[in-house]
């Protein structure tokens, strides 16, 4: 049984399922899920957005002034933690833009 709160909403962006969960009064949290492993090339694509830390198994990308992304590529899972300095509509826009980028990369080079 998961300890995560139930999703507020669920959206689909290409081949990416986006679960939106309540984080706090100033932000939601976004979970991006695919049905298969994420392609290796996605790591380089995401690294170009900000500072990459971690290993091939689990890594984070700190995208300045936007969000922090935690990626578990073998599970096809990305967790997006938006910056509190952004308003909620901008946070959602950024997360959905990331989902579109992931979907495009997965369709180009399946994991």
């Amino acid at each position: 049984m998961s300890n995560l709160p139930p999703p507020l909403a669920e959206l689909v962006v290409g081949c990416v399922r986006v679960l939106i969960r309540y984080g706090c009064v100033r932000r939601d949290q976004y979970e991006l899920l695919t049905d298969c492993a994420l392609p290796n090339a996605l790591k380089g694509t995401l690294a170009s957005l900000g500072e990459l830390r971690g290993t091939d198994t689990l890594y984070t990308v700190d995208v300045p002034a936007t969000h922090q992304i935690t990626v578990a590529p073998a599970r096809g899972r990305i967790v997006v933690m938006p910056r509190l300095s952004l308003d909620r509509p901008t946070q959602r826009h950024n997360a959905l833009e990331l989902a579109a980028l992931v979907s495009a990369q997965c369709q180009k080079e399946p994991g």
Side-chain angles (χ1 to χ4, degrees):
M1 177 136 184
S2 174
N3 290 331
L4 294 173
L8 297 172
E10 184 173 331
L11 307 169
V12 176
V13 177
C15 64
V16 178
R17 188 167 53 119
V18 181
L19 299 178
I20 304 168
R21 299 184 194 281
Y22 178 79
C24 69
V25 296
R26 294 183 50 209
R27 75 170 158 214
D28 294 325
Q29 296 171 1
Y30 298 85
E31 186 174 5
L32 284 51
L33 302 166
T34 62
D35 289 336
C36 59
L38 297 170
N40 293 334
L42 181 63
K43 185 175 182 181
T45 300
L46 295 177
S48 71
L49 302 176
E51 184 178 348
L52 174 74
R53 291 187 194 107
T55 66
D56 287 340
T57 304
L58 182 71
Y59 58 90
T60 63
V61 180
D62 188 6
V63 182
T66 306
H67 44 230
Q68 182 178 16
I69 305 164
T70 302
V71 183
R75 293 209 42 221
R77 182 173 186 245
I78 299 172
V79 175
V80 181
M81 184 65 68
R83 298 283 184 233
L84 291 172
S85 58
L86 301 174
D87 61 26
R88 290 172 92 95
T90 302
Q91 294 172 16
R92 181 173 290 207
H93 171 80
N94 291 340
L96 295 178
E97 209 171 60
L98 177 63
L101 175 76
V102 171
S103 178
Q105 186 81 49
C106 287
Q107 291 173 6
K108 185 168 117 180
E109 182 188 331

